[in-house]
Amino acid sequence: EGGIRYGELVPALAAKGFALANPASLTHISGAGAIAPATHGSGARLCKLSTAVTAIERLKAQYCRTLDTKRWDEFRQLFADDFVNDTTEAGGALIEGADAFVEFVQRVLRRAVTVHQVQQPEIDLTSPSTATGVWAMLDVVRFAPGITLHGFGHYHETYENVGGRWVIKSSKLTRLREEVHTPLVTVFVSGRLRRVIQRAATRFTGL
């Protein structure tokens, strides 16, 4: 029950072989009293919920900034070494390993002008060191003069806290809509048209 105090709860759990991952710092505080203000954490590695959520929001903001400014070394530091990127549902590929993913992104987008924006995060802590998140996303990619892709969808991600620092463990992209903007028309991108555009962009850029 929410009114139980930590001084009562912790010994009762210990008697059954259990423990709290992140208890309040004072024994007289109740469970409800600790949760309601979201002010009770236990340091950098066992922080309060709002601290973890803010750190993950900053992580994703850094993802967008370092990707669009082509700061590849900083971009690499945002991912776990065994990071998995899945864009198969959006017409892309499954890439395993952070180094392989960053190399792929650098090769494909090094000459493209890109703008990535994310919003409306739905972040859940699944343990003191893991979390999940869903982000609404918009990306703009200028592949060539007169050919600009506008994409809308969601990132579905997992995160891991490693040594007090949150990193992206996995990311899956799903699309709601893609549009190609040209000086004359805007075209909805079907799966077939996406493949044609990718081949044309490859020929133009030499990637």
Side-chain angles (χ1 to χ4, degrees):
E1 61 182 48
I4 191 171
R5 300 179 186 277
Y6 282 91
E8 303 167 323
L9 177 61
V10 171
L13 290 174
K16 295 181 179 296
F18 297 102
L20 293 174
N22 193 10
S25 55
L26 300 174
T27 59
H28 70 272
I29 296 173
S30 68
I35 294 171
T39 57
H40 297 280
S42 301
R45 297 193 181 187
L46 286 176
C47 54
K48 60 189 179 183
L49 175 61
S50 59
T51 302
V53 169
T54 298
I56 293 171
E57 289 177 341
R58 287 177 56 85
L59 173 67
K60 194 61 181 178
Q62 292 169 338
Y63 170 94
C64 294
R65 175 179 59 81
T66 56
L67 172 58
D68 291 335
T69 57
K70 312 296 191 290
R71 301 174 74 94
W72 303 118
D73 290 341
E74 294 178 38
F75 186 63
R76 169 62 181 86
Q77 298 306 309
L78 306 179
F79 305 99
D81 291 342
D82 57 352
F83 170 74
V84 176
N85 186 71
D86 183 2
T87 59
T88 54
E89 291 189 22
L94 180 71
I95 301 176
E96 298 181 343
D99 291 337
F101 172 69
V102 174
E103 188 278 331
F104 170 79
V105 172
Q106 184 175 1
R107 175 167 50 85
V108 171
L109 296 181
R110 71 178 186 270
R111 298 180 184 176
V113 177
T114 64
V115 178
H116 288 77
Q117 296 183 350
V118 293
Q119 58 186 334
Q120 299 165 289
E122 304 172 53
I123 298 172
D124 293 305
L125 252 60
T126 53
S127 81
S129 60
T130 59
T132 63
V134 180
W135 298 81
M137 62 83 65
L138 160 68
D139 59 341
V140 178
V141 182
R142 182 180 182 271
F143 286 110
I147 303 178
T148 302
L149 173 71
H150 289 226
F152 309 86
H154 293 91
Y155 289 117
H156 306 258
E157 298 188 327
T158 61
Y159 310 97
E160 183 178 24
N161 190 309
V162 179
R165 184 175 67 90
W166 287 95
V167 292
I168 305 173
K169 182 78 168 177
S170 67
S171 182
K172 178 179 181 180
L173 173 64
T174 58
R175 289 291 195 187
L176 296 172
R177 184 176 179 87
E178 288 179 292
E179 301 171 349
V180 173
H181 292 231
T182 74
L184 299 178
V185 296
T186 296
V187 181
F188 168 70
V189 180
S190 63
R192 181 178 180 182
L193 181 56
R194 182 190 299 113
R195 291 189 291 271
V196 171
I197 294 171
Q198 289 172 338
R199 288 196 296 269
T202 299
R203 286 196 298 270
F204 181 85
T205 60
L207 297 177

